[in-house]
Each structure stands twice: as C-alpha cells, then as structure tokens.
Amino acid sequence: LAKTTQPISMDSYEGQEVNITCSHNNIATNDYITWYQQFPSQGPRFIIQGYKTKVTNEVASLFIPADRKSSTLSLPRVSLSDTAVYYCLVGDMEYGNKLVFGAGTILRVKS
Amino acid sequence: DAGVIQSPRHEVTEMGQEVTLRCKPISGHDYLFWYRQTMMRGLELLIYFNNNVPIDDSGMPEDRFSAKMPNASFSTLKIQPSEPRDSAVYFCASSPGGATGELFFGEGSRLTVL
C-alpha cells in the first residue's frame, strides 16, 4: 500500500506560486498520482493527475521525476480562495483499496 | 449531471440509535466509495464497491457498521447501534473506474451522536 508524506501546512501570499511536494517512496508501477483539494464542509475535489514527467491543466501543474518517488503540485499565482487542504493520492483505480488519503497539506493564503 | 447526492446532510442522534446514511452515485459510475472524516483520523476509506459488489470492507471499524449497494444508483451505510465516537462527516464518492479513475465526492453527511 503506497504511503504518502506531505508537509502539514504551508503559508503563502496572494499572487505567489506555491509548490507542495508529496513523497511516495514505495509507489508501484501501475500507480497514478492524483491531487485533490478540499474546502471546509465540502468533499475533496479532483485537481490534477499524472503518471510521469509533467502534466498541466487550467488550475495547476504536476511535476513527477523519473523515479516517481515524489511529486510536486504547483499552483501559479494563488489567491485567497486557494486556501484549502491539498491531498496527494497514489494508487490504481483498478485496485481501489489503494485509494487511501494521507493527512494532507493545509495551505493558507494571506493577503 | 447532479453529482453524487448524499442524505441526510446533517443528523443528530442519541447513542444506541440506528443511523442510515444514503448515497446516489453519478449515473454510469461503476465504483462507489464510503469515507469517514474526523479531525483526529483524517479521511478514512471504509468500504468500496465495484458494480454493486463490495470489494474491500477492511476499513469498516467494527460489526456495528454495514454497507449495501442494492443497485447501481443507491447505497447505504448503516450504523447500529451508534456511539459518540462515530461522530464524523461521512462522504460517499463514485468513479467511472479504470486506472485513472477520478473520485467524485458528495457533500457529506455530518453525523453527531450524543
């Protein structure tokens, strides 16, 4: 079972780029890396997913080195509304029992 | 699509009472998950179904918890009897499956057991 390690919390200011790194040393060959965002009183929401190298969508980028033992979620120019908990998930949907959330990273964006 | 629908949104009950939480997944999604979230333990995977069949219930805390999925559009999580330590937010999520399946979460059911 792939275990993930993330920083407990991070602080940033509006307009800055934020990078949150997740360690997953025992990632399996078939595992994908997925990031979710959760606001208070809401369920987690999908942000981005990748397998290797770099993935970019309209809200974030995901950087995955060649050994895949870590990944970095990059949020460009954060705003106050990006204050949330961010979870890194490593697993393969075909084996749903691997979809275990870690403790997450509390991101606080200040003005 | 309306998304994953959970009910009730809030429930307050007394210790010993039976609690039933309900979930309607997104149509066409083959996977359904039940998670529990508390401050102390974070998001815990309780059980998940594939095509209405329970695949892994190793996260279910004890025999007081049971989950069913009688058809593709409905699932229940039942706690009987309830205890104060069951107080938490219970999330249901569904997914179309496949190796890259995204989880779509409902808004959760906040349970308070007095």
Side-chain angles (χ1 to χ4, degrees), chain A residues 30 32 34 36 38 41-46 49 87 89 91-102, chain B residues 9 31 33 35 37 42-43 45 48 56 91 95-108 110:
Chain A
N30 294 333
Y32 282 77
T34 311
Y36 286 83
Q38 185 179 27
S41 301
Q42 295 185 23
R45 184 180 69 173
F46 174 93
Q49 183 183 72
Y87 295 96
L89 212 67
D92 181 344
M93 262 300 304
E94 294 296 338
Y95 300 94
N97 60 346
K98 290 187 177 182
L99 297 183
V100 175
F101 284 79
Chain B
R9 291 294 312 280
Y31 287 81
F33 299 78
Y35 286 88
Q37 187 171 39
L43 270 164
L45 176 61
Y48 80 97
D56 187 341
F91 287 104
S95 175
T100 60
E102 173 186 340
L103 295 175
F104 293 80
F105 282 80
E107 296 194 350
R110 180 175 295 277

Side-chain angles (χ1 to χ4, degrees), chain A residues 46-105:
Chain A
F46 174 93
I47 301 175
I48 196 167
Q49 183 183 72
Y51 184 81
K52 61 181 179 180
T53 64
K54 177 184 175 182
V55 179
T56 297
N57 63 21
E58 63 276 8
V59 298
S61 294
L62 178 60
F63 298 91
I64 305 169
D67 66 6
R68 305 200 328 122
K69 293 185 182 299
S70 67
S71 58
T72 299
L73 173 72
S74 181
L75 304 173
R77 299 179 299 282
V78 294
S79 64
L80 295 176
S81 62
D82 292 317
T83 294
V85 180
Y86 292 82
Y87 295 96
C88 164
L89 212 67
V90 174
D92 181 344
M93 262 300 304
E94 294 296 338
Y95 300 94
N97 60 346
K98 290 187 177 182
L99 297 183
V100 175
F101 284 79
T105 298

Side-chain angles (χ1 to χ4, degrees), chain A residues 100-101, chain B residues 34-38 41-47 59 61:
Chain A
V100 175
F101 284 79
Chain B
W34 281 101
Y35 286 88
R36 176 173 69 175
Q37 187 171 39
T38 61
R41 301 177 68 90
L43 270 164
E44 300 175 274
L45 176 61
L46 301 178
I47 185 172

